[in-house]
Amino acid sequence: MLPNRPETGRLRDGPDLTQRPVDKGIIMAEALVPTREPRRTGATAPQEAGLLDLEDGDRQFVTALARGLQVLRAFRDASEMLGNREIAARTGLPKPTVSRLTHTLLSLGYLVHGQDGERYGLGPAVLALSAAFLRQNSFPQMAKPYLQDLATAVQAHVALGLLDGLHCVYVQLWRGKGQTITLSSEVGFHLPLACSVMGMATLAGMDEEQRGPLVERLRRESGAEWPALERTMQRCFAEVAEHGFCVGVGIWRPEINAVAAPIHSPGARGIFSVNVSGPAFLMTEAVLRRDTGPKLMETIARMRALGIVD
């Protein structure tokens, strides 16, 4: 049974985040807003805490390799430039360790120097890895024409996301043809499970064996916010079970509303979900439930009829 709605009829999930002014004709969305980090315990940063959990008791676990990959994952946007101090802050790794890792990754082409010679950006070797992934996983390409049609039909931002730890990462995205108001996120953007409707849909699409460990990590890291997060998850799980999609009003940003659905493809590698988002003054809760969500499900049904999705 779904929780009672506010008397205004507008459902708001998650903490009350500060409103930002809207630029003329452009909504500044997820990619320009720093990701809300999980709650920290002591001096251990979130990524380092996850590394320690994996390392514990596993003799096959190569810590040096994991730390190098942590450095690459510290980059939240393909165009972002970071110095060793910033990377150390994001990963929880000691700065001398970060310095050695960035030197190694620079030598191998996974990082490149910025113009100042002090900061780093992602290098071409990372692009080669992402291209190899897309070649091996044909589902995003098969879904492309259908999700582009959806973006045009609803005149909104449509993203195909893939589970990545406690985030969903955009692997493809589309904007409606002729769309005049756009969001600024790009491929590679990471959206937290804990405060996004795409994250809620992703969790809802898993079986309990897959979902349980992630929910437990969210419970540990959310701290005092866990009761509110748990209520949001329960609502979204119920909506996905009943309608196939769930609605988010202000879950990620107050000025952005969205609808999302889990999606499964035969033979696809990973757990996918589709997110349709736009400015709150256009994509109201009523519009999402009455129009956008059903159109999303119609698109998934078209792909299912052709065997592209289960």
Side-chain angles (χ1 to χ4, degrees):
M1 183 175 181
L2 300 181
N4 293 330
R5 305 273 181 85
E7 292 183 2
T8 61
R10 188 169 187 269
L11 178 64
R12 178 170 295 281
D13 296 294
D16 184 17
L17 302 176
T18 303
Q19 292 274 2
R20 291 191 175 189
V22 178
D23 292 345
K24 294 180 180 179
I26 299 178
I27 300 294
M28 302 306 291
E30 299 101 331
L32 300 186
V33 182
T35 301
R36 186 176 64 183
E37 299 287 359
R39 186 171 177 262
R40 301 188 181 194
T41 303
T44 304
Q47 288 197 43
E48 177 71 357
L51 172 63
L52 293 174
D53 289 342
L54 292 171
E55 185 180 14
D56 187 28
D58 187 350
R59 292 187 176 184
Q60 298 298 315
F61 192 85
V62 182
T63 302
L65 174 60
R67 287 176 172 171
L69 294 173
Q70 274 188 285
V71 169
L72 296 178
R73 291 169 65 91
F75 293 83
R76 297 171 183 157
D77 186 87
S79 61
E80 189 171 39
M81 305 299 292
L82 299 176
N84 286 335
R85 186 183 300 276
E86 293 162 298
I87 294 171
R90 290 190 180 183
T91 61
L93 297 171
K95 192 170 179 291
T97 299
V98 170
S99 297
R100 293 194 299 272
L101 291 170
T102 53
H103 173 78
T104 303
L105 292 167
L106 181 69
S107 301
L108 295 173
Y110 290 97
L111 294 179
V112 293
H113 264 314
Q115 292 183 351
D116 60 4
E118 298 293 330
R119 299 163 76 81
Y120 301 93
L122 294 177
V126 175
L127 179 61
L129 287 177
S130 64
F133 168 81
L134 291 175
R135 283 196 299 270
Q136 294 173 9
N137 197 332
S138 60
F139 172 59
Q141 290 304 312
M142 291 190 293
K144 181 177 179 177
Y146 303 96
L147 296 180
Q148 177 61 71
D149 286 349
L150 173 63
T152 299
V154 298
Q155 288 291 286
H157 177 283
V158 175
L160 180 64
L162 178 65
L163 179 67
D164 180 25
L166 292 183
H167 293 77
C168 292
V169 59
Y170 284 3
V171 294
Q172 292 281 358
L173 60 87
W174 299 268
R175 295 176 177 89
K177 295 178 180 177
Q179 189 175 337
T180 57
I181 299 179
T182 63
L183 307 184
S184 61
S185 301
E186 298 295 342
V187 169
F189 174 67
H190 279 69
L191 200 56
L193 292 180
C195 54
S196 67
V197 72
M198 176 177 264
M200 296 295 102
T202 300
L203 290 169
M206 298 179 190
D207 58 38
E208 187 55 42
E209 184 178 356
Q210 293 172 311
R211 183 168 58 219
L214 290 175
V215 171
E216 176 58 24
R217 283 185 64 189
L218 291 173
R219 185 192 66 78
R220 292 199 312 266
E221 296 185 13
S222 59
E225 294 181 357
W226 170 247
L229 173 57
E230 186 178 32
R231 288 193 297 272
T232 299
M233 283 195 298
Q234 291 174 348
R235 175 184 66 79
C236 289
F237 293 175
E239 290 184 359
V240 169
E242 183 175 357
H243 305 294
F245 65 87
C246 54
V247 169
V249 174
I251 293 183
W252 171 239
R253 295 291 301 165
E255 67 271 26
I256 305 296
N257 292 344
V259 62
I263 190 167
H264 303 95
S265 178
R269 300 182 181 184
I271 300 171
F272 290 90
S273 53
V274 178
N275 187 74
V276 185
S277 57
F281 66 88
L282 291 176
M283 300 188 75
T284 63
E285 183 183 352
V287 168
L288 292 173
R289 294 188 183 280
R290 181 186 64 244
D291 182 65
T292 314
K295 280 188 170 66
L296 170 58
M297 298 313 299
E298 289 170 8
T299 299
I300 293 174
R302 287 174 60 201
M303 290 190 284
R304 183 175 294 116
L306 296 174
I308 297 174
V309 301
D310 293 332

